[in-house]
Amino acid sequence: EAGVVQSPRYKIIEKKQPVAFWCNPISGHNTLYWYRQNLGQGPELLIRYENEEAVDDSQLPKDRFSAERLKGVDSTLKIQPAELGDSAVYLCASRGQTEDEQFFGPGTRLTVL
Amino acid sequence: QKEVEQNSGPLSVPEGAIASLNCTYSDRGSQSFFWYRQYSGKSPELIMSIYSNGDKEDGRFTAQLNKASQYVSLLIRDSQPSDSATYLCAVYTGRRALTFGSGTRLQVQP
C-alpha cells in the first residue's frame, strides 16, 4: 500500500513570493491533515479535512494561507505571500475512517529567503 | 503549561540498555496516545499507539499509560544505535487532531 505522497520535497523561495504544496493521502483515507513543524518542535496542526470539508482551520493563518481538497482526495496548501517566518517543514498526514492512527508523508521543507 | 510535555534531552544510553522516554499531558479527557520516531531530516513515523491504562508491548518497544497521572511512557529494550532519533509523544485532543510534544532526542552510544 502506497503511503502519503507529498511534493515538492524541498522549496526555496524569496519572501513575498507564492508557494504551493501538494499532498495525496493513503488510498481510502477520508481525513487529511496539514501540519507545520518548526526546527526542534513537534508538528502543529494547520488544518483538518474530513473528505472535502475543512472541519478545523482555526490554526491556519488565513491572511496568507489557503488550502483546498476539492474532490476529497488530494489537497493543496498555498502561502501567498510567503514571509521569512514561514520557513519550516510542512507535513501532510492522513487517517482512515475506523482508526485513530495518523500516517505522515515525507514533508516539504520550505526555506524563505 | 504546554498541552503535551516532554524532556527535550538528549537522553544518552549505552547500546543494549533500556531507554525510558516520558510524556505528560494536560487534557484529562484524552483517550488516544501515540509515539512517533523521527530521524533527522525525516518525517514522523508511528511506532506505538495505546488507548488503555497499563502496558502495551510490540517487539522491543513497550508503551505505558497512566490516565490518572496523565502520563505516557515509552520503553525501548536492548537499545541499538539505529534507535537514535527524536521521539515524539502525541495525544488526540477534542479537535480530533494530534497535539505533539517537542520530542526527546535519544542517543544510543555503541
Side-chain angles (χ1 to χ4, degrees):
Chain A
E1 179 182 88
V4 177
V5 179
Q6 289 188 250
S7 67
R9 294 292 311 278
Y10 306 90
K11 191 73 176 178
I12 301 174
I13 61 172
E14 295 192 345
K15 63 181 180 182
K16 300 185 182 180
Q17 294 300 305
V19 64
F21 315 123
W22 177 81
C23 171
N24 194 48
I26 292 172
S27 178
H29 280 195
N30 298 323
T31 307
L32 183 147
Y33 304 82
W34 283 102
Y35 291 87
R36 177 169 59 188
Q37 186 174 24
N38 291 307
L39 192 63
Q41 301 297 315
E44 294 178 328
L45 178 72
L46 291 173
I47 189 168
R48 171 170 70 99
Y49 280 94
E50 297 289 348
N51 298 302
E52 66 274 8
E53 182 181 0
V55 295
D56 184 354
D57 62 356
S58 58
Q59 302 303 308
L60 190 72
K62 297 182 184 65
D63 57 335
R64 297 184 299 106
F65 286 65
S66 65
E68 61 182 16
R69 192 184 185 199
L70 293 176
K71 296 183 179 179
V73 181
D74 57 344
S75 175
T76 301
L77 178 68
K78 298 179 181 178
I79 308 174
Q80 183 171 11
E83 296 180 352
L84 296 176
D86 296 331
S87 295
V89 176
Y90 290 83
L91 293 161
C92 179
S94 70
R95 177 173 64 86
Q97 202 163 9
T98 59
E99 60 200 42
D100 276 354
E101 287 81 1
Q102 290 185 29
F103 300 93
F104 284 84
T108 297
R109 183 176 298 275
L110 174 67
T111 301
V112 182
L113 302 175
Chain B
Q1 180 190 8
K2 289 186 177 180
E3 291 185 73
V4 180
E5 297 212 44
Q6 296 181 254
N7 188 318
S8 62
L11 172 66
S12 185
V13 300
E15 184 174 356
I18 296 175
S20 178
L21 304 159
N22 305 315
C23 170
T24 58
Y25 60 95
S26 62
D27 184 353
R28 193 169 282 279
S30 297
Q31 297 293 323
S32 307
F33 307 87
F34 305 87
W35 284 98
Y36 285 81
R37 177 175 62 197
Q38 188 170 28
Y39 293 112
S40 180
K42 302 295 185 182
S43 64
E45 174 193 9
L46 180 66
I47 55 172
M48 289 288 286
S49 59
I50 187 165
Y51 304 98
S52 304
N53 278 330
D55 295 359
K56 178 182 177 182
E57 186 174 320
D58 183 0
R60 295 186 297 111
F61 299 99
T62 299
Q64 299 175 318
L65 174 60
N66 184 326
K67 291 184 180 179
S69 300
Q70 295 175 243
Y71 179 90
V72 193
S73 65
L74 179 70
L75 301 178
I76 306 174
R77 289 182 300 281
D78 188 24
S79 295
Q80 302 297 309
S82 59
D83 294 326
S84 298
T86 296
Y87 289 80
L88 296 163
C89 174
V91 177
Y92 261 118
T93 66
R95 298 166 58 209
R96 297 303 296 161
L98 289 174
T99 299
F100 285 84
S102 297
T104 298
R105 188 157 62 95
L106 173 66
Q107 295 177 339
V108 180
Q109 306 295 336

